Amino acid sequence: MKWDEFFVTGDPLIYGAMVSIVLVSLAILVGLTYFKKWGYLWREWLTTVDHKKIGVMYILAALIMLFRGGVDAVMMRAQTSMPDMKFLDGQHYNEIFTTHGVIMILFMAMPFIFGLMNVIIPLQIGARDVAFPRLNAISFWLFFAGAMLFNISFVIGGSPDAGWSAYFPLAGIEFSPHVGNNYYSLALQISGIGTLMTGLNFIVTIMKMRAPGMTLMKMPMFTWSVLITSVIIIFAFPVLTVALLLMMFDRQFGTQFFTMQNGGMDMLWANLFWVWGHPEVYIVVLPAFGIFSEIISTFAKKNLYGYKSMVISMLVISGLSFLVWAHHFYTMGQGAMVNGFFSITTMAIAVPTGVKIFNWLFTLHKGRIEFTTPMLYSLAFIPIFTIGGVTGVMLAMASADYQYHNTMFLVAHFHYVLIPGTVFAVIAGFHYWFPKVFGFRLNERRGKTAFWFIIISFNVTFFPLFFLGLQGMTRRMYTYSEETGFGPLNMLSMVGAIGLTIGFILLVYNIYWSTRYEPRDTTGDPWDGRSLEWSMPSPVPVYNFAVVPEITKRDEFWFAKQEGKSLSDKKIEKIHMPSNSGKPFILGIAFFFLGFFVVFSWWTPAIVAGIAVLLTMAAMSFDRDDGYYIPVEEVVQSEKRLRGERV
Amino acid sequence: MKKRGPLLALFFGLTMLLSGCSSLTVLDPKGPAARTLSDTIIFSILMMVGVLAVVYILYVYMLVKYRAKKSNEGYVPPHEEGSTKLEITWTVIPIIIVLILSVVTVRTTMAVENVPEGYENQEPLVIYASSSNWKWHFSYPEQGIETVNYVNLPTHRPVEFRMYSFGPITSLWIPQLAGQKYAMSDMVTKINLVADVPGSYMGKNANFNGEGFAHMNFEALAMSQAEFDEWVQDVKNNEGELTEAEFDKLLETPHVGRMSFASTHLSFSPPPEEGHHHSGSTEKENGNQEHQDNKEKFPEPSSTDEDEAEFDFDPNVHPDDPTPVDPGDESTHHEGH
Amino acid sequence: MKIDATQPLEYGTEENRNKIFGFWLFMGAEIALFATLFTVYFVLVDRFASGPSGADLFVIGPVLAETFILLTSSFTIGLAVHSMRLGLKKQMMIFMVITLVLGAAFLGIEIYEFFHYVHEGAAITTSAFTSSLLTLLGTHGAHVTFGLLWGTAILLQVRKYGLDHKTANKSFIFSLYWHFLDVVWIFIFSFVYLKGLM
């Protein structure tokens, strides 16, 4: 590899990006030094094992990735807004739709959900932290290392360009000889290990660390959704691990899994990818269902309708999610019977999903609905997601799919599922739980302005794509000619994309504005909530619960409020806490370099980095830190200080 | 009050669809296979609009009636666990809808996988469609000619495309004639279609295969059998033969315009073993029109490019009965209306 | 930290119980991982192209030796856990050492076998079959290698700190891992080697 191939050259957009990356990095370094914040950063964030802080870091990273993926999206819409547009060339376009897909799913949607999970789950079940706090930090740093590795690809070496599904043989060494797809296999592998550990951690947390009396059927719905999601993670992610391993071997060690010669089978990749990929959709959608359940029930001022059927429907969805993967390639020629089977399993998912929709509607029934910002997102979710759902049923019909497959119709469908299903959910959850973490709400008026921008622009952006698909426009086309007639609707979609951009900028501006001007919340319960997290003062103290509450029914806190009962009037005891540790952060760095060197097949440095990984793990194994205790007086005082103002 | 936008847009869209607005290529079929698909799509849209209507009506009702307002201040919503009766209702009705759609799906999938109804007794015209970065090669073994980036078809005669790829996975799609199917390097897939209206139709690769993907289009021109025969004769008389060297060079070239040759590449660069693949049974589905010739020539063990030498493809290409039962006679009668 | 004296040492604290439960979940993920590798192997097993097939390649001798060695090591790690529960530190360490030595012997034979395959013209790049075979065996081998490093680390900790609830917990979890690798090997032995030889 020559040095002029090392950095991506020749594109002014990329030079601009390089310059801004250097400037921003410098600004951060100078700022940290000037304000003497290095120690603070290290002590409070980089070494933290506190689930709340890890959650905040996940969300921060996810927001950054949202903008990275969003810039890709706007560039794509700009390039296709007019026939024969010359804004990007084919190669650059191929790179950004690939990175857009990967980043939005794996480095935006998942970490955002993991962030909310991290912050909220222990609070909802009355736990002091997750089961394995240090493993939790490792998960985060592995995710972060993977995300950074993936993101540097566009300035160093070049981004992957074979689509987020990276079908072989296109993604193989023969047709994609540059390092882009090495970044794909390694960045996803590293963050995937982190994801697997998160899944494991949360199953143990939810199964073993609930407050006394909280049986499974008394858990809040968000907790249920995270439990089921974690189980899906445990079974789906190893498949991705294997697929990525084989991809790396094929590309870097000359194996013959997906090649065109010597018995390789290109469609094996597609099968492995989607055996993971379809459950992955539910990994990001089920927690969203949980978030909506919490919010809708809170602001309808009613308990969740049909709790039991909500749980059962999620279990059914999680089971079916492993039986539908072939619907991603009905057109592979596997014959009518196989396609028929997968059509039926796919359409069957609509049944439990429909049950959920109706249960939400009947939660609203006889309620007293308050239109707060989080509630607006949740309410907008129902009709928009239903469009995504019914078009999903249409796509599930194998015969009809021969006409939708690979078209903009499909693109419209999955954006109609994933944006209301996941993005609205995480934004709603973000607004809803923000005061719990930071002690003040996001401004409602500004929040609602951003909401209307986002909701209307979303429909303007994606609804035209259904028609473009039926006109015969395929996805991933970087350009088209005037005669195709695709121009006007694409232009309309571009207008929507601009609106979405404004909406998201307003949303972030609201964070800044509210931080400065929004009044602080002194109650700990600004929304009149129902689940345990609202029984605590905001921001939540590091030890979470001074005393772990006893649970007798669902929505315990709601009923306690009605009866004027306190959940925290038991005797306070000293609290055991895990110590901070820098090793997860160091492990993340070691993994980053390991991945980076392997991407470029620089084996000697890669082995050194690999040894660094093993040594860090060994150091963790030998670490006998038992944590520390917060003495009773300190807990009493802090509770007095935090709760004293509330009376 | 909110979300009326998509609803309106949907109705607007529907009017457009049902009035048969011809700019929606997929819903403007010119052959029985595409017509089956178009009917299926419209049927499913109608069903789904029904579902949407129920959800939207309930939704608007709940939002309007139960919103917090001055008049219901102090109202305490009741505690409701749920209702078994209602929950069973909204489980069973969707199951019935899914069952109906399943039946439709299986029947229409069978229908489009096979030779369209009414054309079963005609000998189909076999066209091998192979893709290479970023071109389509169409070989007519029966006629002994080959084209690049355009394909001519006789109307009212079943056509069987057999697809494979010299590189990444591609997908052959002529939306107005039939749905798409992948072309892959280690197996041959099939599309059965009939064009019943003469005309020029957009054909393209629908599956992303790298840098030149956006330009990988071709024209599918449906014409009467007589015109088709004339064109074949014309190509045979005026175009040169395709040599192996020339073909290899062609494979290397990223983009070319239209080309025609008086011979096919099938003799020196045969398609991969036909009908064999990992998960299914195209063979069985297409049983009724299987050609006696390709079964025995391609034995079971998995073949690879290296095994080429074993397969002397040539006899297949020029079938033992070079003169097909002339389907032109009856089909020409249908033309011109 | 509350220590529950009614439980065996490795289950003594809440954290220990969580770790054991968590490790069972991890093994669930490992099962999914190996199941995927087996699936890939079965899909590609007949695609040996111009290279050798399983029947050409497999020799039963070393494989039987590997099986015997690994089964024995599973027995000795069981003895180690048994000694640990009786509080016999020295015996426990001896059995651990025997287990690790057997593991290393297994690995040695496997590496020899790999050289033999390459010598027979079955490198990892030869065909889809050899790629999937060597990746499946290699992944198992890598797990054994990691196990050797991990086991050594635990052994050092037992020597340094004795058998307390931490080291006991680690040793117990390690024994689960080691048994799991044995089970995977049984599957490899039956469905790769025996089936391939048939």
Side-chain angles (χ1 to χ4, degrees):
Chain A
M1 152 135 324
K2 289 184 225 93
W3 283 100
D4 58 335
E5 286 169 22
F6 185 70
F7 288 106
V8 177
T9 49
D11 190 323
L13 283 168
I14 290 181
Y15 287 131
M18 282 179 182
V19 171
S20 53
I21 288 173
V22 171
L23 289 180
V24 170
S25 313
L26 274 179
I28 292 173
L29 293 181
V30 170
L32 283 171
T33 314
Y34 183 79
F35 291 107
K36 299 198 171 58
K37 288 288 184 194
W38 283 106
Y40 166 79
L41 185 69
W42 177 257
R43 278 191 313 275
E44 298 293 320
W45 296 98
L46 301 185
T47 62
T48 187
V49 293
D50 180 349
H51 68 98
K52 301 177 285 292
K53 284 186 177 161
I54 289 175
V56 169
M57 289 195 291
Y58 264 119
I59 293 172
L60 199 62
L63 280 173
I64 295 169
M65 289 297 117
L66 176 69
F67 275 80
R68 160 77 216 266
V71 169
D72 285 345
V74 173
M75 282 162 73
M76 274 152 70
R77 296 291 2 139
Q79 166 62 24
T80 50
S81 61
M82 282 188 286
D84 299 314
M85 188 81 170
K86 295 280 187 286
F87 174 54
L88 302 171
D89 61 20
Q91 177 60 25
H92 198 168
Y93 187 82
N94 297 345
E95 289 182 10
I96 58 171
F97 74 66
T98 303
T99 52
H100 169 76
V102 173
I103 287 177
M104 286 304 202
I105 295 277
L106 287 145
F107 300 127
M108 191 285 286
M110 275 220 299
F112 214 135
I113 280 169
F114 284 3
L116 293 172
M117 265 159 70
N118 261 294
V119 173
I120 297 307
I121 292 296
L123 305 183
Q124 275 196 337
I125 62 172
R128 289 265 155 69
D129 204 318
V130 295
F132 311 115
R134 206 166 54 170
L135 186 68
N136 200 24
I138 294 176
S139 290
F140 171 76
W141 289 112
L142 288 188
F143 145 72
F144 195 72
M148 287 302 110
L149 187 62
F150 193 82
N151 273 281
I152 59 163
S153 69
F154 87 109
V155 285
I156 298 176
S159 294
D161 58 355
W164 89 284
S165 47
Y167 271 21
F168 277 79
L170 180 62
I173 196 74
E174 187 181 349
F175 295 99
S176 298
H178 68 90
V179 296
N181 280 294
N182 296 352
Y183 273 115
Y184 178 99
S185 67
L186 285 149
L188 266 58
Q189 189 71 283
I190 292 171
S191 66
I193 300 169
T195 305
L196 184 66
M197 294 303 138
T198 303
L200 197 152
N201 212 337
F202 276 82
I203 297 180
V204 180
T205 307
I206 296 172
M207 293 306 290
K208 297 283 185 188
M209 299 181 68
R210 297 190 307 274
M214 186 185 273
T215 57
L216 285 175
M217 291 308 272
K218 287 178 188 146
M219 295 195 308
M221 195 50 64
F222 180 55
T223 307
W224 253 117
S225 70
V226 169
L227 177 62
I228 294 170
T229 303
S230 302
V231 175
I232 302 181
I233 289 176
I234 291 283
F235 290 105
F237 264 77
V239 181
L240 178 72
T241 305
V242 171
L244 293 171
L245 185 80
L246 306 190
M247 176 183 191
M248 182 180 106
F249 279 10
D250 255 19
R251 291 185 51 84
Q252 299 186 274
F253 299 108
T255 56
Q256 308 283 350
F257 291 105
F258 315 123
T259 53
M260 287 166 52
Q261 308 83 34
N262 300 324
M265 190 192 266
D266 46 12
M267 289 315 282
L268 180 59
W269 166 266
N271 277 282
L272 291 176
F273 182 84
W274 289 114
V275 167
W276 161 77
H278 202 86
E280 167 68 14
V281 174
Y282 292 96
I283 292 171
V284 295
V285 166
L286 286 183
F289 288 172
I291 295 170
F292 289 133
S293 299
E294 301 287 326
I295 293 174
I296 289 176
S297 138
T298 302
F299 295 107
K301 303 282 155 212
K302 267 183 79 204
N303 63 319
L304 189 65
Y305 194 89
Y307 179 94
K308 236 186 252 168
S309 61
M310 287 300 231
V311 173
I312 294 169
S313 60
M314 281 198 288
L315 289 170
V316 173
I317 291 174
S318 67
L320 284 173
S321 73
F322 283 94
L323 299 174
V324 299
W325 78 91
H327 73 213
H328 293 274
F329 41 82
Y330 283 139
T331 52
M332 198 172 102
Q334 59 264 59
M337 287 334 284
V338 175
N339 279 351
F341 170 79
F342 282 102
S343 291
I344 294 167
T345 53
T346 307
M347 284 191 270
I349 291 188
V351 177
T353 315
V355 168
K356 301 191 80 74
I357 297 273
F358 285 110
N359 277 331
W360 285 316
L361 287 174
F362 274 77
T363 306
L364 299 173
H365 183 67
K366 294 187 191 163
R368 190 170 180 277
I369 305 164
E370 289 172 359
F371 294 95
T372 58
T373 313
M375 187 60 163
L376 283 177
Y377 281 105
S378 310
L379 290 176
F381 152 79
I382 293 175
I384 299 179
F385 182 81
T386 309
I387 293 181
V390 296
T391 50
V393 173
M394 289 164 64
L395 278 154
M397 302 173 72
S399 51
D401 183 66
Y402 294 167
Q403 294 283 32
Y404 304 133
H405 186 65
N406 274 330
T407 67
M408 294 311 263
F409 190 93
L410 170 79
V411 174
H413 154 71
F414 68 71
H415 283 93
Y416 262 84
V417 171
L418 287 172
I419 293 185
T422 300
V423 179
F424 288 3
V426 293
I427 299 175
F430 182 74
H431 282 83
Y432 181 60
W433 282 307
F434 191 90
K436 189 83 275 172
V437 178
F438 294 103
F440 58 92
R441 285 197 281 191
L442 294 171
N443 183 270
E444 279 288 294
R445 200 165 64 84
R446 284 169 183 78
K448 286 178 189 172
T449 317
F451 165 80
W452 285 110
F453 255 99
I454 288 173
I455 239 65
I456 293 169
S457 310
F458 165 78
N459 285 297
V460 175
T461 312
F462 293 103
F463 208 75
L465 304 193
F466 283 120
F467 295 98
L468 280 171
L470 294 177
Q471 281 182 19
M473 181 173 179
T474 48
R475 66 199 290 209
R476 298 174 172 177
M477 281 168 71
Y478 83 98
T479 188
Y480 51 88
S481 63
E482 178 110 46
E483 305 88 79
T484 55
F486 302 153
L489 286 175
N490 272 306
M491 183 46 100
L492 183 60
S493 175
M494 173 71 202
V495 172
I498 294 169
L500 267 177
T501 314
I502 297 171
F504 280 106
I505 290 172
L506 288 176
L507 196 153
V508 171
Y509 173 73
N510 190 20
I511 301 175
Y512 163 78
W513 192 93
S514 306
T515 310
R516 295 203 59 172
Y517 305 113
E518 191 69 9
R520 307 295 111 159
D521 164 51
T522 52
T523 63
D525 183 20
W527 307 113
D528 197 10
R530 310 179 72 86
S531 41
L532 278 185
E533 71 267 31
W534 304 111
S535 71
M536 271 176 289
S538 312
V540 181
V542 62
Y543 50 80
N544 294 357
F545 294 86
V547 293
V548 177
E550 292 256 1
I551 304 300
T552 55
K553 49 171 124 22
R554 268 175 232 151
D555 294 341
E556 178 80 27
F557 177 57
W558 174 261
F559 290 103
K561 277 193 289 190
Q562 309 258 300
E563 295 159 20
K565 188 175 90 179
S566 168
L567 288 176
S568 54
D569 54 2
K570 281 191 296 181
K571 189 172 165 287
I572 290 177
E573 291 174 20
K574 64 178 181 174
I575 295 173
H576 178 245
M577 298 297 296
S579 314
N580 282 0
S581 168
K583 295 187 189 82
F585 177 66
I586 294 168
L587 189 66
I589 292 180
F591 259 106
F592 174 87
F593 281 104
L594 174 62
F596 183 77
F597 295 137
V598 175
V599 163
F600 286 94
S601 306
W602 293 342
W603 300 116
T604 314
I607 289 166
V608 174
I611 291 171
V613 166
L614 287 175
L615 286 179
T616 318
M617 283 164 73
M620 280 183 201
S621 176
F622 279 90
D623 199 342
R624 287 177 76 82
D625 191 335
D626 273 326
Y628 63 99
Y629 282 92
I630 304 180
V632 178
E633 310 82 70
E634 203 180 314
V635 179
V636 171
Q637 268 183 4
S638 122
E639 285 293 299
K640 246 188 211 150
R641 179 168 47 80
L642 288 163
R643 287 175 188 271
E645 306 162 342
R646 289 178 56 188
V647 190
Chain B
M1 45 156 281
K2 59 169 67 51
K3 289 300 94 293
R4 211 171 287 149
L7 196 65
L8 280 179
L10 196 87
F11 280 129
F12 166 71
L14 264 174
T15 3
M16 238 166 100
L17 295 189
L18 298 177
S19 64
C21 179
S22 60
S23 81
L24 295 182
T25 322
V26 166
L27 301 179
D28 182 23
K30 303 291 183 198
R35 201 163 292 125
T36 307
L37 295 179
S38 168
D39 293 346
T40 311
I41 290 171
I42 289 173
F43 173 76
S44 68
I45 289 177
L46 291 175
M47 289 281 270
M48 292 300 119
V49 167
V51 173
L52 276 183
V54 173
V55 172
Y56 281 20
I57 289 167
L58 275 174
Y59 176 77
V60 172
Y61 172 78
M62 303 298 178
L63 289 198
V64 172
K65 180 131 190 235
Y66 298 108
R67 57 204 318 253
K69 44 200 164 202
K70 290 247 164 58
S71 59
N72 65 5
E73 218 160 326
Y75 161 69
V76 181
H79 183 88
E80 285 184 304
E81 280 299 327
S83 148
T84 318
K85 230 189 251 168
L86 276 175
E87 283 165 56
I88 289 176
T89 315
W90 60 60
T91 312
V92 170
I93 294 176
I95 289 180
I96 294 170
I97 296 176
V98 165
L99 282 178
I100 295 170
L101 291 173
S102 300
V103 172
V104 173
T105 304
V106 172
R107 285 175 60 174
T108 52
T109 309
M110 296 277 218
V112 297
E113 288 284 348
N114 292 318
V115 177
E117 218 173 302
Y119 294 92
E120 294 96 334
N121 336 331
Q122 286 188 50
E123 175 82 1
L125 169 70
V126 174
I127 302 175
Y128 282 87
S130 49
S131 67
S132 65
N133 283 357
W134 287 275
K135 308 167 287 296
W136 285 104
H137 310 264
F138 297 98
S139 319
Y140 298 72
E142 201 180 293
Q143 284 75 14
I145 60 169
E146 176 154 326
T147 62
V148 176
N149 288 339
Y150 78 101
V151 61
N152 289 1
L153 317 164
T155 48
H156 297 285
R157 176 171 175 192
V159 176
E160 180 181 313
F161 279 103
R162 298 186 187 172
M163 288 91 66
Y164 59 99
S165 168
F166 287 98
I169 299 169
T170 52
S171 188
L172 184 88
W173 192 30
I174 310 170
Q176 286 180 286
L177 297 182
Q180 62 186 290
K181 202 163 276 180
Y182 285 173
M184 289 161 283
S185 62
D186 65 345
M187 64 192 248
V188 170
T189 50
K190 288 177 188 171
I191 292 179
N192 281 296
L193 58 82
V194 173
D196 52 16
V197 182
S200 159
Y201 306 119
M202 169 186 77
K204 57 167 60 178
N205 166 24
N207 197 56
F208 177 65
N209 69 333
E211 215 175 334
F213 165 68
H215 302 294
M216 201 166 157
N217 304 320
F218 63 89
E219 183 192 15
L221 190 63
M223 55 183 74
S224 70
Q225 182 74 39
E227 285 172 293
F228 178 75
D229 292 338
E230 197 182 315
W231 167 75
V232 169
Q233 212 46 50
D234 189 47
V235 171
K236 284 195 147 181
N237 295 341
N238 301 327
E239 303 291 344
E241 301 234 326
L242 178 61
T243 63
E244 187 163 2
E246 200 174 347
F247 184 68
D248 288 343
K249 215 180 115 203
L250 187 60
L251 286 182
E252 294 296 309
T253 322
H255 298 282
V256 295
R258 293 179 175 212
M259 295 171 108
S260 316
F261 301 98
S263 70
T264 72
H265 71 260
L266 299 172
S267 52
F268 48 80
S269 180
E273 175 196 357
E274 288 181 55
H276 167 92
H277 49 85
H278 21 295
S279 55
S281 44
T282 346
E283 269 174 22
K284 280 182 213 118
E285 310 313 331
N286 296 332
N288 55 345
Q289 34 86 44
E290 196 153 76
H291 296 278
Q292 76 292 357
D293 49 359
N294 39 24
K295 230 349 193 341
E296 57 231 4
K297 296 275 160 43
F298 296 104
E300 205 34 39
S302 63
S303 90
T304 64
D305 293 1
E306 275 158 32
D307 300 329
E308 277 177 22
E310 275 175 53
F311 301 130
D312 184 3
F313 194 82
D314 215 25
N316 274 326
V317 182
H318 307 291
D320 308 60
D321 47 342
T323 37
V325 212
D326 188 8
D329 274 1
E330 59 171 281
S331 53
T332 35
H333 297 306
H334 297 283
E335 267 177 319
H337 42 80
Chain C
M1 187 147 327
K2 276 180 241 115
I3 296 182
D4 184 350
T6 63
Q7 299 264 22
L9 203 50
E10 68 270 18
Y11 283 97
T13 65
E14 191 197 349
E15 193 186 339
N16 277 4
R17 287 191 292 275
N18 286 350
K19 279 187 175 160
I20 292 170
F21 178 56
F23 198 78
W24 278 104
L25 293 173
F26 177 71
M27 284 198 291
E30 287 276 57
I31 289 170
L33 182 115
F34 277 103
T36 314
L37 282 168
F38 272 107
T39 311
V40 169
Y41 175 76
F42 291 136
V43 168
L44 300 177
V45 67
D46 292 325
R47 296 179 154 241
F48 42 79
S50 53
S53 71
D56 301 336
L57 213 56
F58 298 151
V59 188
I60 194 72
V63 179
L64 271 178
E66 283 173 291
T67 311
F68 179 73
I69 289 172
L70 210 58
L71 283 177
T72 313
S73 79
S74 212
F75 179 64
T76 55
I77 191 75
L79 289 176
V81 169
H82 185 69
S83 319
M84 179 186 87
R85 287 200 172 148
L86 297 174
L88 305 169
K89 176 181 163 190
K90 198 172 161 204
Q91 278 188 20
M92 184 267 182
M93 285 178 65
I94 291 170
F95 283 123
M96 270 294 267
V97 170
I98 295 175
T99 306
L100 295 178
V101 169
L102 288 172
F106 168 87
L107 209 60
I109 301 179
E110 188 158 55
I111 291 169
Y112 159 78
E113 230 190 328
F114 279 19
F115 276 107
H116 167 73
Y117 291 158
V118 174
H119 185 71
E120 296 280 300
I124 199 165
T125 54
T126 305
S127 68
F129 161 69
T130 58
S131 297
S132 61
L133 172 73
L134 294 177
T135 304
L136 174 59
L137 296 179
T139 309
H140 179 265
H143 275 75
V144 175
T145 313
F146 182 78
L148 292 181
L149 295 174
W150 185 18
T152 313
I154 290 172
L155 202 57
L156 291 175
Q157 290 177 45
V158 172
R159 199 181 69 172
K160 195 166 167 194
Y161 305 111
L163 290 172
D164 58 11
H165 70 269
K166 279 200 165 175
T167 50
N169 185 245
K170 287 181 188 197
S171 311
F172 181 73
I173 289 175
F174 176 74
S175 79
L176 291 180
Y177 179 77
W178 200 260
H179 289 311
F180 170 75
L181 293 186
D182 211 25
V183 172
V184 173
W185 180 260
I186 298 295
F187 276 89
I188 292 179
F189 179 69
S190 320
F191 293 109
V192 175
Y193 287 111
L194 290 187
K195 198 162 165 283
L197 281 165
M198 270 193 302

